[in-house]
Amino acid sequence: MAYMKGAPEVVLDRCGSVWLDGEARPLDEETRQAILDQNKMFANSAFRVLACAHKEVQETERNEDETESGMVFLGLQAMIDPPRAEVKEAVQDCRNAGIRVIMVTGDNPATAKAIGTQLGFSPEGAMTGTDIERVAEQELRKIVERTEVFARVSPHHKVALLKALQENGHRVAMTGDGVNDAAALRHADVGIAMGQRGTDVAKEASDMVLQDDNFVTLRNAIAEGRGIFDNIRKFVNFLLSANAGEILVVFLGILAGTALFPQLFGGQSEALILTPVMLLWINLVTDGLPALALAADPKMRGIMKRPPRGSGESVIDRRIVVSILGFGLLMAATGLPLFFHGLMDAGEPILAQSRLFTFIVVAEMVRIQIIRTRYELSILSNPWLVAAVISSFALQAIVLYTPANTIFEVTPLAPVDWQWIGTAFAAFLFLGVTLEKSLDRIFGKPTEWVPKKALPKRKPVPVGREERLLEFYLLSKTLLEAYIASFGKEAVEKVAAEGRASEKLEAYRILSETLLRAYEELRDD
């Protein structure tokens, strides 16, 4: 006994009889159509449908085609595998983030449309693998920009869709679980294999494995990746702007000090703006702890409403470069007057260095929050950062007011010194916030970023319009190909006198080309 299961339309083509009332009866057209109608009804209700058949065979029969012909149709099996309730929201979140989601499945077209409708996909213009084979590559590139549901596709159809999207300039992530999906997973920009039902071949061919086979996890991973990228930018921005400020303070301070206080800066190695141990302390302790805590920053609100960044966009963009240089200059512009005022008051560098040393520590702690404010994060949103900032201030106080001040060559600060530090800090804070707002107006905020190429807006498509357009295209393309094959040589020949036959051929050519152009215009609408 041989048994068969598969797509109803395929199984029916291999059946010559149907099992009714305990016996095999001839499969007439009326019964065949009734089975297909029942299959369509199931499919429209989002059921996955399998047909079953059997046949008594002799042991000597070895030919597969002979075995799978003339079978007895047994019945239909309808199964429902409803999508998870949270998937529809995840698909919409991806669309809000500028990510286009396409449904590619081996299910019956009616089933695919029904499930796609539940998930928010447009069923209009849904195509099958057979339709994909019938269109040219250039036409497929246009179709993939509009169509959201592809059904009854084979592995090579997935590869064709993948290449069409990539040729249109898209970066494509594709999911798969079977052995036959390996080619598409390998050629995708990001191949994603299913961890629970995926085969070993699919996992080896993919770039990542989705352990729970849940689309929501993909959405969450995208959001997490964007948050990590933002944190890297904050980390780099903070450290480079802090180091730029320290460099400019030392460099410009020595130049200004040589001009204003030649007796102190005239080649004396003791007359330094900041000593090496101060700079080491700032970089290793006060900068290090807060910078590490930035890695635990939460994601900004609305992170999945931003379009994707460009594939060539670097961590350090033009805005960050301007921000680094701007804050470095602000630190020098507000810190050096504090230093030289202390130098004039005390007549020796130690008090001035202590003031400037403490001012830089305070300014860099505030610099962190100025960076984070751009991402709409409050001061208390990251407990680790709060603890790191408090620890840095506590360590600075230990350096100033304990015997450790002899190691760092600083002096305890009096209340009047803190007043001057507060004045310089207020100026730095005001100018820093002003600079940040100015950069936002010039370069834009994260929530206002616009994609370089906006996704096309879909217009409502009448029912059946895409199917009629496809038939129209195939007819006009066939006419043109027939013209080229039959009359192309005659049409290009230059004849001295044009007769009625050549006029007819030219009219035939114009008609077929006009049909094609009309199809292109209808597609664009």
Side-chain angles (χ1 to χ4, degrees):
M1 185 70 71
Y3 294 92
M4 173 188 289
K5 66 177 178 67
E9 57 270 21
V10 176
V11 174
L12 272 175
D13 288 341
R14 297 178 179 272
C15 292
S17 56
V18 59
W19 190 265
L20 288 175
D21 299 329
E23 61 179 352
R25 298 182 181 181
L27 180 60
D28 54 28
E29 285 301 320
E30 183 179 353
T31 305
R32 184 185 297 272
Q33 188 59 46
I35 294 172
L36 292 175
D37 290 342
Q38 183 64 47
N39 171 52
K40 186 176 182 180
M41 186 186 72
F42 283 141
N44 288 334
S45 300
F47 285 94
R48 289 185 168 91
V49 186
L50 287 177
C52 301
H54 75 169
K55 176 184 178 182
E56 293 185 5
V57 296
Q58 302 295 327
E59 294 183 0
T60 56
E61 292 187 23
R62 300 295 184 185
N63 188 293
E64 183 176 323
D65 291 334
E66 292 181 1
T67 302
E68 296 181 352
S69 62
M71 303 196 78
V72 180
F73 185 84
L74 296 176
L76 298 174
Q77 179 186 15
M79 303 165 289
I80 189 164
D81 182 16
R84 294 181 174 98
E86 65 272 16
V87 172
K88 183 176 181 179
E89 181 183 356
V91 171
Q92 187 57 47
D93 287 342
C94 289
R95 288 174 177 154
N96 294 338
I99 302 168
R100 184 162 173 249
V101 185
I102 299 176
M103 181 178 174
V104 182
T105 176
D107 289 335
N108 180 283
T111 303
K113 288 181 180 180
I115 296 177
T117 301
Q118 295 178 13
L119 297 177
F121 291 93
S122 173
E124 299 301 331
M127 294 185 66
T128 65
T130 303
D131 296 331
I132 294 174
E133 293 177 350
R134 294 167 63 188
V135 300
E137 291 184 6
Q138 292 297 325
E139 181 60 24
L140 183 60
R141 290 180 58 180
K142 297 179 180 179
I143 290 174
V144 294
E145 294 297 327
R146 300 172 180 269
T147 305
E148 293 185 353
V149 177
F150 294 90
R152 278 286 186 261
V153 295
S154 299
H156 65 279
H157 297 142
K158 290 185 178 182
V159 175
L161 293 172
L162 172 65
K163 291 183 177 179
L165 289 166
Q166 290 176 330
E167 288 173 358
N168 287 345
H170 298 291
R171 298 182 67 84
V172 186
M174 181 166 286
T175 61
D177 55 11
V179 174
N180 294 333
D181 293 329
L185 292 173
R186 177 66 68 183
H187 287 90
D189 296 296
V190 181
I192 306 169
M194 301 296 103
Q196 295 180 356
R197 66 176 184 270
T199 61
D200 292 338
V201 175
K203 294 177 183 179
E204 288 294 330
S206 63
D207 299 295
M208 63 175 64
V209 177
L210 192 61
Q211 293 294 342
D212 60 358
D213 294 7
N214 193 342
F215 184 84
V216 177
T217 304
L218 285 180
R219 186 272 313 272
N220 296 339
I222 294 170
E224 192 66 28
R226 291 185 172 192
I228 291 173
F229 186 82
D230 285 346
N231 289 346
I232 292 174
R233 273 191 163 167
K234 285 181 279 187
F235 176 88
V236 172
N237 192 355
F238 168 62
L239 285 185
L240 291 185
S241 59
N243 290 334
E246 295 162 20
I247 292 172
L248 290 174
V249 163
V250 173
F251 177 71
L252 297 178
I254 292 176
L255 293 180
T258 302
L260 298 174
F261 301 94
Q263 68 278 12
L264 289 178
F265 287 82
Q268 297 184 23
S269 60
E270 295 82 2
L272 298 174
I273 302 298
L274 293 172
T275 63
V277 69
M278 293 178 183
L279 293 173
L280 185 63
W281 175 261
I282 293 172
N283 288 322
L284 292 183
V285 180
T286 58
D287 282 359
L289 293 177
L292 291 175
L294 282 176
D297 250 6
K299 299 182 291 291
M300 69 173 291
R301 293 188 300 272
I303 197 169
M304 287 299 286
K305 293 182 179 179
R306 286 168 19 191
R309 59 185 177 86
S311 58
E313 185 177 340
S314 62
V315 174
I316 304 177
D317 58 7
R318 289 185 299 172
R319 188 196 188 284
I320 292 181
V321 171
V322 175
S323 178
I324 291 171
L325 295 177
F327 273 92
L329 290 172
L330 286 183
M331 189 177 293
T334 53
L336 287 178
L338 177 67
F339 173 82
F340 289 118
H341 180 271
L343 192 60
M344 289 186 293
D345 279 354
E348 56 181 5
I350 187 169
L351 177 61
Q353 289 173 339
S354 300
R355 284 184 180 181
L356 180 60
F357 177 41
T358 304
F359 166 76
I360 291 177
V361 171
V362 175
E364 291 185 359
M365 297 301 101
V366 174
R367 168 64 175 148
I368 293 179
Q369 186 54 35
I370 292 177
I371 294 174
R372 297 176 75 246
T373 302
R374 182 171 181 257
Y375 296 88
E376 301 177 357
L377 297 175
S378 65
I379 297 176
L380 302 178
S381 60
N382 185 349
W384 293 102
L385 182 59
V386 173
V389 171
I390 293 175
S391 299
S392 296
F393 284 142
L395 291 171
Q396 182 67 15
I398 291 173
V399 168
L400 291 173
Y401 298 104
T402 67
N405 55 25
T406 58
I407 300 175
F408 290 86
E409 299 180 356
V410 295
T411 184
L413 298 177
V416 66
D417 298 319
W418 284 106
Q419 290 178 4
W420 286 109
I421 292 174
T423 302
F425 166 73
F428 174 81
L429 179 61
F430 173 76
L431 294 174
V433 172
T434 302
L435 173 62
E436 194 69 22
K437 290 183 177 180
S438 300
L439 294 178
D440 284 341
R441 285 194 294 269
I442 296 172
F443 296 98
K445 292 184 178 180
T447 53
E448 297 173 352
W449 290 338
V450 178
K452 295 180 180 179
K453 182 180 180 182
L455 295 176
K457 293 184 178 179
R458 177 184 297 276
K459 296 181 179 180
V461 182
V463 176
R465 181 176 184 268
E466 292 290 343
E467 288 80 357
R468 294 195 299 271
L469 284 177
L470 180 60
E471 294 173 359
F472 180 62
Y473 165 75
L474 293 173
L475 172 62
S476 56
K477 185 171 181 288
T478 302
L479 286 173
L480 183 59
E481 290 176 348
Y483 166 79
I484 295 173
S486 302
F487 308 109
K489 183 177 180 181
E490 180 181 348
V492 297
E493 290 178 350
K494 294 182 179 180
V495 292
E498 294 185 357
R500 181 175 298 178
S502 61
E503 291 177 356
K504 289 182 178 180
L505 289 177
E506 183 65 15
Y508 184 74
R509 180 189 64 79
I510 293 174
L511 171 63
S512 57
E513 290 185 348
T514 302
L515 288 173
L516 282 175
R517 286 196 298 270
Y519 170 78
E520 297 291 341
E521 292 175 358
L522 288 171
R523 290 290 304 184
D524 292 338
D525 290 338

